[in-house]
Amino acid sequence: MDGDHQSYESLDRRLTRVGCPYKLYEARIHALEVVARRPLFHLIEEEITARIPAAGGAPAWAAQFERDLKTFGLLEAILYFHSYPPLDPGFVEGACELYERLARLYLDRLDEIRGSDDPRVLAQLHYLRRLGDSREHAIPRPLEPPRIPDGAIAEPRQPELDVGYEPRLPPHADLLDVAAWMAKKPVALRYGCFADELCEALAAGFVFEGFSGPQAAFFEVAATLEEHEVDPFGSEGQYIFALLIRQLGEEVFGDYEHWIPCAGCGENFCIEVSLESVNASLVAGGWKCGECGGFGEREG
Amino acid sequence: MSEPGQSREAVVEKLRADLERASESGATRQLSERPQALREYVAAPGREPVESYAAIRELLQAHWKIPVIETEDRVAELEQLGGARGSIGRCGVRLLDLVGSTDIHIVVRGDPRGEERQMLWTLLHELGHLAWHLELLESVGAVYQRVCLNPGLETELARFSLDRGPSLQRMTELEADLFALDWLIPRWWFGEATPPGLPEALTADGHRCLSLRRAFGSQPLPLSEAAVAGLNRAGEEERRRSEEALRPGSTRWARAAWLLWNRERLECPLSAELVAEYDLIVGGGGRYVPELRQPAIGPGGLEPDPPWLPRVAPDAAAAAVDEPGWVPRLVASEGPRYPEYNIPIRPLPSPEPRDSRLRWSHMFKPATQKALSLESWIGRAREQGVGLLLFPRTPAERALDSRGVPRA
């Protein structure tokens, strides 16, 4: 235990040490339970919620903790302990340790969760998406595997349009609803090429299901392109990135956190989103700090 | 009856306004507001029935966004809670995913150019399912998806379907018939005295018989003394018959007549006890999904015999999904035990009539996922040692796709 965790800053340092940007909501912990094959969520009730009154908070603070957990996820629910009546430091450290255990386990099993066909896992993530809650904590992220372009990065170019193009993706229900609402009748979404269809599906996800922030979003886009056998650095991939970057600049996906804390120099640095900077982040596996050239390397 | 000479637009507008007034919230924009509005509307004293098939259809399509699909083919098959549904119509309720929207389609068998009166009854009957059974239908939709999260749930459902399903089916069909009957023959028509314009010699039974004939679209009778005597006799005969239990497999007329003479003593919903039993099994009605709060971890017990969901062998799956059908089909995992999960997939919308030719997507994955061929999914499920739950397009969805109507 590194001292007193009663201040916001010390709690924040303690909790972000593990470097897990994913907000641990109940649904995400249930997804983790499935891949880890053991119940975990009850630990929060047993080790935190039930102990708050004995640790110095009245029962009402336990209810507050539950509300924060539901609204903001586990990290922020514990972070708010700084605003509670003084709590037993041993209890607070225990809560931080539990968060760390769950967050570490989540990071360890992330690939399984991401690649799963298991509806028990996917239903939880789907539920989170429907709540529009895919945003991450703005903290240094674990590095992604660097993506090395196979030759020079191509210029963005829209593929040739085909009047008979048959859609290859399931239509986004909310997008259809909005299109029907605007046209006052059902409207078929038509595309001339796969790149346009995929770009609209990606944008619809960001609009209706939440934007995970520039740190993570372009890695998600790259992974989706690769799933569809589209080279992120080819002309089609670059075309999709360019369209999404333009929409991001127009705040089609809403506002987002531009500032990231750098694990290298400890300062916050601003993400300037452009096709060039997105490509550089994909090649490096993360966004680099302009000051020190470091990026979110994890401690511990 | 709605005013003769009124334009269809006027009839639709009045019907819409009357339904909104009947709703507790004063609106029918939300799907959840509509069942209660429909039930209150048909029970309203002084209401004259709207008998225009086209107007009701337009209300559903243009204002309630419920597609009404007309077909000359058979539209039904075995229903998953037991029994066979009639082949004249269908109120299809499909949940696209666990927490997303509910898709409703009404299918009516017939050709509106020649069979409008028969189709009106069918349409109102299906609307009766919406009025009385939306929650049950949504629940069955949710259960299909819950079986993917918790395959062992099938055991209890198989038992319920076998023991109680046929009774539940009979009750829900009667409720839908009763709704159609109440729509076309309002209860307030049958007061103490003979209504004005009808011969005094017409008895209460004769009046009911006359109303039923009109509701079923029979040619109007000149109400001569002999005709009135005939109606009175026929009505008396129907009353006598209605004192006996309704025989299974009765005709539409026989069911309607039985209900017309019995409806005052029936307490709706008739299926309340059976639905409560069903709710006990599934843990709660509507879209209740306890597996979201408590994931089922670990393998379940032995599969039931007979199973609840229809099984299909992997090499027969392609042919099975091309058949018209309303219920999912399971490509079961190998062995006598339940797998840990079943993968739910459905084909992408397409004008192509055969689902086996289409790409299929996982129902819980984001819309950006790569859709795969049916064979690829079968291989993927086999590798994981789990079941694959196929949600082929319903005949309604296929009809919409062939007409280029967009849908999720």
Side-chain angles (χ1 to χ4, degrees):
Chain A
M1 181 175 161
D2 58 352
D4 177 8
H5 290 327
Q6 299 292 340
S7 75
Y8 175 88
E9 289 74 18
S10 61
L11 265 172
D12 187 45
R13 262 199 313 278
R14 174 69 183 88
L15 289 163
T16 56
R17 201 168 71 182
V18 66
C20 178
Y22 308 102
K23 293 193 175 181
L24 293 187
Y25 289 110
E26 181 177 352
R28 209 163 253 132
I29 296 173
H30 287 321
L32 179 60
E33 285 175 331
V34 174
V35 295
R37 306 183 66 81
R38 61 177 191 270
L40 297 165
F41 190 74
H42 70 105
L43 296 173
I44 298 173
E45 160 63 24
E46 288 168 16
E47 295 185 22
I48 305 180
T49 321
R51 292 187 187 174
I52 288 176
W61 291 102
Q64 180 64 46
F65 171 77
E66 283 185 325
R67 279 196 296 275
D68 290 342
L69 175 63
K70 200 170 175 180
T71 314
F72 306 111
L74 185 57
L75 184 150
E76 284 177 65
I78 298 174
L79 190 58
Y80 282 123
F81 283 172
H82 79 273
S83 64
Y84 285 32
L87 297 172
D88 170 20
F91 161 78
V92 177
E93 173 56 20
C96 293
E97 276 175 9
L98 176 61
Y99 169 76
E100 198 169 46
R101 280 203 323 265
L102 292 173
R104 202 178 293 285
L105 189 57
Y106 193 85
L107 291 172
D108 287 347
R109 311 305 287 260
L110 187 57
D111 287 344
E112 276 171 85
I113 291 170
R114 278 177 173 170
S116 182
D117 281 338
D118 186 339
R120 297 170 302 172
V121 172
L122 292 168
Q124 301 293 343
L125 304 182
H126 176 72
Y127 175 68
L128 274 180
R129 282 199 309 277
R130 294 301 302 181
L131 295 179
D133 229 338
S134 63
R135 276 172 297 170
E136 298 189 349
H137 297 297
I139 62 167
R141 302 183 86 249
L143 293 182
E144 295 281 334
R147 289 173 162 85
I148 310 302
D150 193 15
I153 297 176
E155 285 295 311
R157 197 177 62 240
Q158 185 182 31
E160 267 188 42
L161 300 182
D162 170 8
V163 285
Y165 175 76
E166 277 287 315
R168 284 161 50 186
L169 300 172
H172 197 290
D174 295 335
L175 191 60
L176 276 180
D177 281 350
V178 169
W181 178 78
M182 290 172 78
K184 298 201 182 337
K185 62 176 183 187
V187 178
L189 306 172
R190 299 204 187 282
Y191 310 95
C193 63
F194 179 61
D196 283 342
E197 185 188 13
L198 182 56
C199 187
E200 189 153 280
L202 287 161
F206 291 149
V207 170
F208 298 113
E209 297 162 3
F211 181 63
S212 48
Q215 270 204 103
F218 297 105
F219 290 103
E220 292 166 12
V221 171
T224 304
L225 295 183
E226 285 158 354
E227 187 193 350
H228 289 282
E229 286 138 32
V230 175
D231 177 3
F233 299 112
S235 64
E236 192 178 5
Q238 290 290 294
Y239 168 72
I240 291 171
F241 276 118
L243 285 180
L244 292 172
I245 289 165
R246 196 177 72 202
Q247 293 183 51
L248 180 72
E250 292 165 354
E251 298 202 354
V252 173
F253 314 139
D255 199 6
Y256 57 89
E257 183 57 66
H258 294 67
W259 293 89
I260 305 174
C262 172
C265 62
E267 296 299 315
N268 286 345
F269 66 95
C270 182
I271 288 188
E272 297 291 348
V273 180
S274 65
L275 191 53
E276 198 182 11
S277 66
V278 166
N279 286 334
S281 75
L282 294 177
V283 172
W287 288 80
K288 282 191 174 180
C289 168
E291 285 298 313
C292 73
F295 34 24
E297 289 172 46
R298 282 190 276 159
E299 292 176 32
Chain B
M1 276 154 280
S2 46
E3 290 292 314
Q6 260 187 325
S7 70
R8 190 164 85 198
E9 290 73 26
V11 175
V12 173
E13 197 41 51
K14 181 170 185 317
L15 181 56
R16 191 171 72 88
D18 287 348
L19 280 160
E20 281 184 2
R21 257 195 301 280
S23 161
E24 237 167 42
S25 59
T28 52
R29 272 190 293 278
Q30 303 292 325
L31 180 60
S32 58
E33 293 167 328
R34 293 171 185 168
Q36 183 262 343
L38 284 165
R39 295 196 301 265
E40 293 295 322
Y41 169 75
V42 293
R47 176 186 61 86
E48 289 295 346
V50 173
E51 294 182 346
S52 161
Y53 172 82
I56 301 169
R57 183 181 188 277
E58 190 173 320
L59 171 96
L60 293 174
Q61 298 210 126
H63 296 284
W64 284 12
K65 311 289 178 221
I66 297 177
V68 177
I69 294 139
E70 287 140 359
T71 173
E72 293 185 41
D73 301 327
R74 279 179 66 83
V75 291
E77 57 166 50
L78 284 182
E79 177 60 22
Q80 273 321 99
L81 289 178
R85 301 190 77 147
S87 59
I88 53 165
R90 177 90 188 191
C91 178
V93 173
R94 175 166 276 191
L95 271 56
L96 298 180
D97 55 55
L98 279 172
V99 286
S101 53
T102 302
D103 250 15
I104 299 184
H105 307 111
I106 290 181
V107 184
V108 176
R109 187 181 180 191
D111 179 352
R113 286 165 300 183
E115 300 162 318
E116 189 170 319
R117 199 71 200 186
Q118 184 182 317
M119 291 168 74
L120 171 66
W121 177 270
T122 307
L123 180 60
L124 292 174
H125 172 98
E126 300 309 329
L127 212 47
H129 283 303
L130 184 61
W132 284 108
H133 311 129
L134 177 62
E135 198 174 322
L136 178 65
L137 293 168
E138 279 197 313
S139 169
V140 176
V143 166
Y144 287 146
Q145 305 202 3
R146 286 180 58 193
V147 165
C148 295
L149 308 176
N150 179 12
L153 190 61
E154 225 192 328
T155 301
E156 290 289 312
L157 286 161
R159 200 170 297 142
F160 177 85
S161 179
L162 203 62
D163 297 345
R164 315 296 275 155
S167 307
L168 179 61
Q169 186 73 30
R170 268 199 304 279
M171 292 295 131
T172 53
E173 289 304 306
L174 266 186
E175 280 161 354
D177 275 339
L178 186 54
F179 177 87
L181 189 75
D182 283 346
W183 181 294
L184 291 171
I185 309 177
R187 295 183 188 216
W188 69 269
W189 276 5
F190 303 97
E192 293 292 309
T194 310
L198 291 177
E200 276 188 21
L202 191 69
T203 62
D205 288 336
H207 184 199
R208 280 175 200 257
C209 195
L210 176 66
S211 306
L212 199 58
R213 283 176 57 90
R214 282 182 176 161
F216 273 75
S218 303
Q219 291 299 316
L221 282 175
L223 290 176
S224 64
E225 212 171 295
V228 168
L231 283 167
N232 289 344
R233 266 199 311 279
E236 214 172 299
E237 178 64 16
E238 291 295 357
R239 177 162 54 76
R240 196 189 52 70
R241 252 186 240 140
S242 71
E243 284 161 9
E244 296 163 15
L246 182 65
R247 291 200 189 106
S250 300
T251 61
R252 238 171 356 149
W253 170 279
R255 287 203 313 267
W258 187 88
L259 284 168
L260 184 57
W261 267 268
N262 281 301
R263 65 182 173 181
E264 275 76 17
R265 66 177 184 79
L266 296 176
E267 271 185 47
C268 273
L270 306 168
S271 56
E273 269 181 41
L274 291 164
V275 171
E277 272 184 54
Y278 165 80
D279 282 350
L280 274 180
I281 288 172
V282 298
R287 304 180 67 148
Y288 179 62
V289 187
E291 289 80 10
L292 283 177
R293 298 300 299 270
Q294 197 154 15
I297 299 172
L302 293 170
E303 283 206 13
D305 186 23
W308 181 57
L309 286 166
R311 267 38 176 185
V312 57
D315 54 1
V321 298
D322 289 341
E323 292 289 317
W326 293 87
V327 295
R329 290 169 166 79
L330 182 68
V331 181
S333 54
E334 284 173 13
R337 302 192 80 84
Y338 287 116
E340 285 207 73
Y341 56 89
N342 297 312
I343 302 175
I345 58 168
R346 65 191 182 103
L348 301 189
S350 168
E352 158 66 47
R354 284 156 299 183
D355 286 15
S356 60
R357 298 280 181 95
L358 300 176
R359 288 172 183 272
W360 293 61
S361 58
H362 193 302
M363 288 170 70
F364 300 163
K365 282 192 179 179
T368 51
Q369 68 178 293
K370 186 174 184 180
L372 305 172
S373 68
L374 185 58
E375 297 74 51
S376 303
W377 278 114
I378 290 171
R380 218 160 149 140
R382 190 187 292 130
E383 272 170 28
Q384 294 172 46
V386 298
L388 185 67
L389 192 56
L390 312 170
F391 289 76
R393 289 176 298 171
T394 64
E397 289 169 335
R398 268 181 218 181
L400 292 173
D401 286 359
S402 71
R403 292 171 204 172
V405 179
R407 61 179 188 86

